[in-house]
Amino acid sequence: MVMILLVALITFGVMFIIHQVMKSPAFGYRNRKLPLPPGTLGYPYVGETFQLYSHNPNVFFASKIKKYGSVFKSHILGCPCVMISSPEAAKFVLSTRSDLFKPTFPASKERMLGKQAIFFHQNDYHLKLRKLVVRAFMPDSIRNFVSDIDSIASATLKSFEGSLINTFQEMKTYTFNVALLSIFGKDEIEYREELKKCYYILEKGYNSMPINLPGTLFNKSMKARKELTRISAEIIRNRRETKKDHQDLLASFMCDKEGLTDEQIIDNVIGVIFAARDTTASVLTWIVKYLADNQAVLLAVTEEQEAIIKEKEKSGEERALRWRDTKKMPYTTRVIQETLRVASILSFTFREAVEDVEYEGYLIPKGWKVLPLFRNIHHSPLHFPEPDKFDPSRFEVAPKPNTFLPFGNGIHSCPGNELAKLEMLVLIHHLTTKYRWSIIGPQNEIQYGPFALPQNGLPIELFSKSQE
C-alpha cells in the first residue's frame, strides 16, 4: 500500500512538472526564424532559481555574461526569461520601447501582492495609479511628513542606545513605520502591530517556491495576505464612516472621482508597503556599513549634518528637522547615491514581452520575462572607474544616461523615490550627530536572498555621543 502511494505521488509530481513545462512560453518557439539568445534554461520548472538566489548575484551574472554576452536566456521562479546587461538594452526595455514590455512578476508574486497592484499594469490603469501615488509622494506632499519622520527616526535610534542590534531588522522596523505613516497617516497607529505581524509572515514566503500546500512558506504567506486584506478593508470602512480629511496615499486612492474599487485600493496599499520597506531598509543597512568602513566619508557627513544644527541654534530655531534642512545635505545625498550604486539592492527588475520582440538579432518570445540587470550596469568599469570602490565624489558629476538606475527608468520608475531619500537623509542626520557605532562580527562577508546584505544583517553596538 505504501509503495503504491509512493509511486502515485511520484507519478503526480512528474506529470505536474511536465504540465508546467509544456504550458510554459519556453515551448512553441522552435519554428520561428530568429534564434533565442544563448544560455541555458536549467532544470524543468525550477530552472536556475536556486543558483541565482543562493549565491552571489555578481558571480551568477558575471559568469553568464562572460560565457554568452550581454544578452542571454535563463529560467527562474518558474519563468523563462532573457537577461540584459547594457545601458542601451535597459533603455530599450524600460523607456524607448516600454510599450513592448509590461511590468510583471512571477505569478506567485502577483498573488501575494495583488493582481491589481501598480507593478503589474500599463497603459491607462497604470497611468491613473501612478498619478495617485506621485500625488501622495511628491515633494509638496511628503514635506508635511518631515516632522513625523524626524520623530520616528529619533525614537528608533534612541531605543538602540547601548544595545547590540541587527541593523537590517531594525531598519526594516523604521522603514515599515514610515511606510505606514505615508500610506495610512495617523490611522496606522491603531493597526500597526497587526499589520506588522501579517506583513512579516508574508515577506518570509516572498521568494519561496509557489507550492500552496499546508505548512509551506507560500501557504503561510497567502494566509497572511488574506489577513492584510481584512485589516485594510476595515481601515477603509472606518474612513468612509468618519469622513475625516486625510493627506496620505490611502486618501489619494479613495478619492471618489478616481473610481477605484476596494480590491484595487487594497492591492496597491499592500504593494506599496512591499516596495517602500525592505529595499530602503537594505540601503540604510549598507550606509551604516560604508560609513563605518570609510571614516573620512563619515567625518564629512557628520560635519555637514552638524552645520545644520549649528545654523538652527544660531537662529534660535528648534532642533527638529524641517523640509528646507534636507536641501542642505548635498554630500550626504551623494553618499546615498553611491550606496545605491555599490550595493545595488535591486539586482534586476521584471518585465514581460507583450508580443514577439527582435533585439540584436535575437527573438524575445511573447510571454517571456525580460530582466534588465541593474547590478551589472552599476558595476561596469566602463561607466564607473574602480566600481567596487566606495567613492561619493563620483556623483559630483551626473552619471551618463541609463548607467545609474537604482529606481528604474521610464514610466514605471519608482514613484516613491523622493520619500525613500527623505527618510534616509533624516535617519542619517540623527545617526551621525548623536551616535557612534561599531560593527560586531564579520566585517566583509555578504549574504544573499533575495537582497545582498552584510552578513547576519550587520550586528552593531550603538553608543550615544552625549555619554562620552
Side-chain angles (χ1 to χ4, degrees):
M1 184 67 180
V2 174
M3 182 61 69
I4 294 175
L5 180 61
L6 180 62
V7 171
L9 287 172
I10 294 173
T11 302
F12 173 79
V14 171
M15 291 178 65
F16 175 78
I17 291 174
I18 292 174
H19 171 72
Q20 294 294 327
V21 173
M22 291 299 293
K23 75 176 185 177
S24 164
F27 278 77
Y29 66 79
R30 291 185 175 84
N31 293 326
R32 309 194 188 242
K33 295 180 180 180
L34 294 172
L36 288 171
T40 58
L41 296 176
Y43 297 106
Y45 190 58
V46 175
E48 298 180 312
T49 302
F50 297 119
Q51 293 95 312
L52 173 61
Y53 282 109
S54 62
H55 298 89
N56 182 341
N58 283 348
V59 175
F60 178 84
F61 294 135
S63 64
K64 293 286 187 179
I65 292 169
K66 182 178 181 180
K67 187 172 184 178
Y68 302 116
S70 63
V71 181
F72 60 92
K73 67 176 180 285
S74 184
H75 194 286
I76 62 171
L77 294 171
C79 306
C81 59
V82 173
M83 297 186 177
I84 56 175
S85 61
S86 71
E88 296 75 22
K91 180 181 180 182
F92 177 80
V93 172
L94 300 175
S95 182
T96 308
R97 295 309 310 271
S98 61
D99 58 308
L100 299 176
F101 303 94
K102 68 178 182 179
T104 185
F105 284 61
S108 60
K109 299 186 186 300
E110 291 187 19
R111 290 175 62 187
M112 283 189 185
L113 298 183
K115 293 184 178 181
Q116 300 297 323
I118 186 173
F119 314 114
F120 313 126
H121 294 272
Q122 57 186 151
N123 302 325
D124 291 345
Y125 179 66
H126 168 264
L127 291 175
K128 173 193 280 193
L129 291 173
R130 184 174 179 83
K131 181 188 71 173
L132 298 178
V133 177
V134 169
R135 184 169 71 189
F137 289 162
M138 65 190 304
D140 284 346
S141 297
I142 62 174
R143 68 193 307 156
N144 298 320
F145 288 127
V146 174
S147 61
D148 292 309
I149 295 174
D150 184 81
S151 297
I152 293 172
S154 183
T156 298
L157 291 170
K158 187 172 181 58
S159 69
F160 305 156
E161 286 184 17
S163 301
L164 174 64
I165 65 165
N166 181 305
T167 306
F168 179 55
Q169 293 302 323
E170 300 301 343
M171 290 302 103
K172 284 169 69 172
T173 299
Y174 168 65
T175 56
F176 187 76
N177 290 338
V178 173
L180 294 187
L181 171 71
S182 64
I183 296 168
F184 298 113
K186 301 297 183 181
D187 289 349
E188 63 89 11
I189 297 175
E190 181 181 349
Y191 298 92
R192 182 184 298 170
E193 293 307 314
E194 282 187 276
L195 289 165
K196 185 183 299 183
K197 179 181 178 181
C198 293
Y199 188 82
Y200 282 16
I201 296 172
L202 175 69
E203 70 170 358
K204 288 181 180 178
Y206 186 70
N207 283 302
S208 63
M209 292 302 293
I211 302 172
N212 198 10
L213 296 175
T216 62
L217 286 175
F218 185 79
N219 181 262
K220 293 177 181 178
S221 293
M222 292 306 298
K223 289 180 178 178
R225 207 279 179 196
K226 186 176 181 180
E227 184 64 10
L228 281 172
T229 299
R230 183 195 66 77
I231 298 169
S232 300
E234 183 176 331
I235 296 173
I236 292 171
R237 184 171 60 253
N238 289 341
R239 282 206 177 184
R240 290 200 175 107
E241 291 174 356
T242 57
K243 297 181 180 180
K244 291 182 181 179
D245 185 38
H246 294 82
Q247 302 294 323
D248 50 39
L249 181 61
L250 183 57
S252 187
F253 284 149
M254 289 180 64
C255 182
D256 290 337
K257 68 179 182 180
E258 302 300 343
L260 294 181
T261 66
D262 285 5
E263 179 186 3
Q264 290 171 330
I265 293 172
I266 292 169
D267 282 0
N268 281 283
V269 162
I270 294 173
V272 170
I273 293 175
F274 166 78
R277 180 171 176 260
D278 282 21
T279 50
T280 306
S282 301
V283 177
L284 283 167
T285 301
W286 280 110
I287 287 173
V288 172
K289 163 72 172 165
Y290 292 142
L291 289 178
D293 289 347
N294 299 272
Q295 289 297 304
V297 174
L298 174 58
L299 178 61
V301 171
T302 304
E303 290 177 346
E304 180 174 79
Q305 298 300 328
E306 288 179 342
I308 293 172
I309 295 175
K310 291 175 182 176
E311 183 179 336
K312 292 166 79 70
E313 290 175 344
K314 186 176 180 179
S315 64
E317 186 181 342
E318 64 178 45
R319 184 164 176 169
L321 286 177
R322 294 292 181 262
W323 175 257
R324 61 179 175 272
D325 297 321
T326 65
K327 301 306 171 185
K328 301 173 183 176
M329 305 177 180
Y331 186 78
T332 307
T333 299
R334 291 197 289 272
V335 168
I336 292 174
Q337 291 175 303
E338 179 68 343
T339 301
L340 288 166
R341 184 196 69 80
V342 178
S344 290
I345 303 302
L346 293 179
S347 296
F348 50 81
T349 189
F350 282 93
R351 293 291 185 268
E352 180 180 312
V354 298
E355 60 183 70
D356 287 352
V357 179
E358 178 182 354
Y359 183 74
E360 291 192 350
Y362 295 119
L363 170 70
I364 303 176
K366 176 181 178 180
W368 276 45
K369 309 300 181 186
V370 181
L371 281 62
L373 303 181
F374 299 143
R375 174 176 291 272
N376 293 78
I377 295 172
H378 292 166
H379 282 257
S380 170
L382 296 176
H383 316 303
F384 299 99
E386 298 182 87
D388 295 330
K389 180 182 179 181
F390 187 81
D391 180 13
S393 67
R394 70 173 83 239
F395 283 95
E396 292 173 0
V397 178
K400 297 176 182 178
N402 304 298
T403 61
F404 183 57
L405 306 166
F407 298 105
N409 194 14
I411 61 172
H412 294 288
S413 61
C414 175
N417 66 83
E418 291 295 332
L419 176 63
K421 288 185 283 189
L422 172 62
E423 62 184 302
M424 285 189 269
L425 288 171
V426 172
L427 188 123
I428 293 170
H429 171 80
H430 289 285
L431 178 66
T432 56
T433 58
K434 298 178 182 177
Y435 299 96
R436 300 189 190 281
W437 65 96
S438 57
I439 300 173
I440 308 300
Q443 302 288 306
N444 299 307
E445 295 181 18
I446 301 175
Q447 64 187 48
Y448 303 92
F451 305 122
L453 286 167
Q455 187 68 34
N456 301 320
L458 193 68
I460 66 169
E461 284 186 330
L462 195 71
F463 307 96
S464 173
K465 289 182 178 180
S466 64
Q467 297 178 356
E468 295 179 349

